[in-house]
Amino acid sequence: MLPTEDAIVAGDELRRRFGPRYWQFTLTATDANRFAIRLARHITGRPKILVHNHNYHGSVDETFAWLGPDGAVVKRRGNIGAPVEPSETTRVVEFNDLDAFERELAHGDVAAALMEPALTNVGIVLPEPGYHEGVRELTRRHGTLLINDETHTICAGPGGYTGAHGLVPDMLTIGKTIGGGIPVGAYGFTEEVGDRIHASIEREDSDVGGIGGTLAGNALTLAAVRATLTEVLTDEAFARMIPLGARWEAGVAGVLRDHDVPWHVTRLGARAEYHFMPDPPRNGSEQWANGDPDLERFLHLWAMNRGVLMTPFHNMALMSPATTEADVDRHTAVFAEAVEVLFG
Ligand SMILES: Cc1ncc(COP(=O)(O)O)c(C=O)c1O
């Protein structure tokens, strides 16, 4: 409610990196997704959204949906207090499955497809060649807005996966890292989407329409975003972080090769992770089926007891602007010891 000049700098910087013309700030990435979805439903007049199986986009009711064994949309494991059955609000497809994507959009009731450009929350699942081109063509053809959630995939570069690969979504959501520890989210949208929003919302209603929040865009948050984007998470920082990610990947791959371990390591810019399977997963279900919570817990504890703190779920590491080559090599050494114990 009380904008500062930092909002201009932060908005300009997000536009430079990710593309969309207009930006709104929120307090979390969850809220950025909620607000983007509400606006998408409003301007398209359609009730549903489409997400990928095993997605995570924050605590957004419509996204807490998975495919059941028979392909029907069901509540995801852990979903509590769902207001309605997720099948009423949501269509779900596997990542990298363009046929399913087309089949679900053909119903004509999908306001927006909300997607991470590469899955990260179930484990890293990379898009196959042509997947994004197909998604963009299908969403345009069926009048569905495309929302890229870059909250995690910003690890691919200063403009996230979208910037690194020249993607052109209608809306883009982000949060977390851009505040450097201060709670923040943001969503951007194209000029065309902006015109549609403008034409369909009375100015007097804009703060009660479900896309507000008293403290959204507050001075502290925007100062943090400005400082983070212009001084910490800079192009130069990515130029250091991504090679560190490659070093981490090469270290893990070398250990797996030396010990003949049937695991795979995948990298997405400055983020990398190993999977308990010989080939990279094609979709969330493949990754989920090869998870092993006990083995993960062992590996986390093994690393933690030797001074390396992994993310507290699956086997993912993210290089930060403060990470050094010595940190990466320390992980490789600790990982090698664990593999030695497990595989001899
Ligand atoms: C892709 C993605 N989007 C949105 C969110 C929600 O972020 P927050 O918890 O900051 O609302 C998350 C959280 O992990 C996420 O991984």
Side-chain angles (χ1 to χ4, degrees):
M1 287 187 176
L2 201 59
T4 66
E5 287 184 6
D6 288 341
I8 301 171
V9 178
D12 281 350
E13 183 60 13
L14 290 173
R15 180 184 181 183
R16 179 185 78 79
R17 292 173 182 231
F18 294 100
R21 168 75 178 80
Y22 296 115
W23 290 87
Q24 293 273 0
F25 289 92
T26 63
L27 295 176
T28 64
T30 300
D31 266 353
N33 283 326
R34 285 201 308 114
F35 299 165
I37 288 171
R38 293 176 78 91
L39 284 168
R41 283 198 298 246
H42 178 69
I43 64 175
T44 61
R46 295 177 174 185
K48 291 195 175 179
I49 65 157
L50 179 142
V51 293
H52 284 110
N53 204 21
H54 294 280
N55 76 81
Y56 185 71
H57 297 282
S59 51
V60 180
D61 285 314
E62 295 91 329
T63 63
F64 279 165
W66 277 357
L67 290 174
D70 59 356
V73 173
V74 296
K75 287 191 197 94
R76 66 155 286 162
R77 181 174 161 185
N79 185 359
I80 56 163
V84 293
E85 282 302 316
S87 56
E88 287 185 35
T89 59
T90 311
R91 297 190 176 280
V92 183
V93 296
E94 290 289 3
F95 204 73
N96 282 321
D97 186 347
L98 282 176
D99 290 341
F101 211 103
E102 174 155 35
R103 186 189 65 229
E104 295 304 316
L105 290 197
H107 292 278
D109 57 2
V110 179
L114 171 62
M115 65 185 286
E116 284 194 285
L119 296 184
T120 64
N121 280 288
V122 65
I124 298 176
V125 181
L126 298 177
E128 290 176 347
Y131 188 57
H132 282 294
E133 290 78 359
V135 162
R136 185 62 279 195
E137 194 276 314
L138 287 170
T139 46
R140 284 212 173 102
R141 176 152 32 109
H142 290 278
T144 295
L145 296 173
L146 177 60
I147 310 174
N148 279 2
D149 181 344
E150 288 279 4
T151 305
H152 279 183
T153 45
I154 188 176
C155 61
Y161 197 97
T162 296
H165 295 268
L167 306 185
V168 190
D170 301 296
M171 305 177 89
L172 190 143
T173 56
I174 191 158
K176 301 200 199 190
T177 48
I178 63 166
I182 300 296
V184 66
Y187 59 99
F189 42 90
T190 60
E191 193 130 21
E192 194 211 325
V193 169
D195 289 345
R196 291 170 73 181
I197 293 171
H198 245 283
S200 60
I201 298 179
E202 296 294 334
R203 187 174 293 276
E204 300 79 62
D205 296 332
S206 60
D207 62 338
V208 292
I211 51 160
T214 309
L215 293 177
N218 69 76
L220 174 63
T221 292
L222 267 297
V225 173
R226 179 178 186 164
T228 305
L229 292 182
T230 59
E231 293 179 39
V232 184
L233 214 54
T234 56
D235 293 1
E236 296 71 37
F238 274 97
R240 273 192 348 90
M241 282 149 46
I242 291 176
L244 286 175
R247 188 180 181 97
W248 194 95
E249 178 188 30
V252 170
V255 171
L256 297 180
R257 203 174 41 242
D258 291 349
H259 293 79
D260 225 1
V261 179
W263 297 354
H264 184 81
V265 56
T266 305
R267 183 169 63 85
L268 180 63
R271 184 188 294 266
E273 112 164 294
Y274 49 89
H275 320 257
F276 304 135
M277 53 200 289
D279 299 309
R282 283 197 64 224
N283 56 44
S285 292
E286 279 185 21
Q287 166 68 16
W288 181 259
N290 287 280
D292 185 335
D294 288 340
L295 186 52
E296 284 170 16
R297 218 163 280 173
F298 163 77
L299 287 159
H300 292 178
L301 199 56
W302 179 278
M304 206 186 300
N305 284 337
R306 288 156 183 80
V308 177
L309 188 63
M310 300 282 285
T311 54
F313 44 82
H314 38 95
N315 311 301
M316 193 178 280
L318 182 60
M319 313 306 134
S320 84
T323 308
T324 64
E325 289 188 353
D327 295 333
V328 172
D329 295 346
R330 173 83 188 138
H331 172 268
T332 305
V334 165
F335 178 67
E337 285 171 26
V339 164
E340 181 75 32
V341 167
L342 287 169
F343 292 90

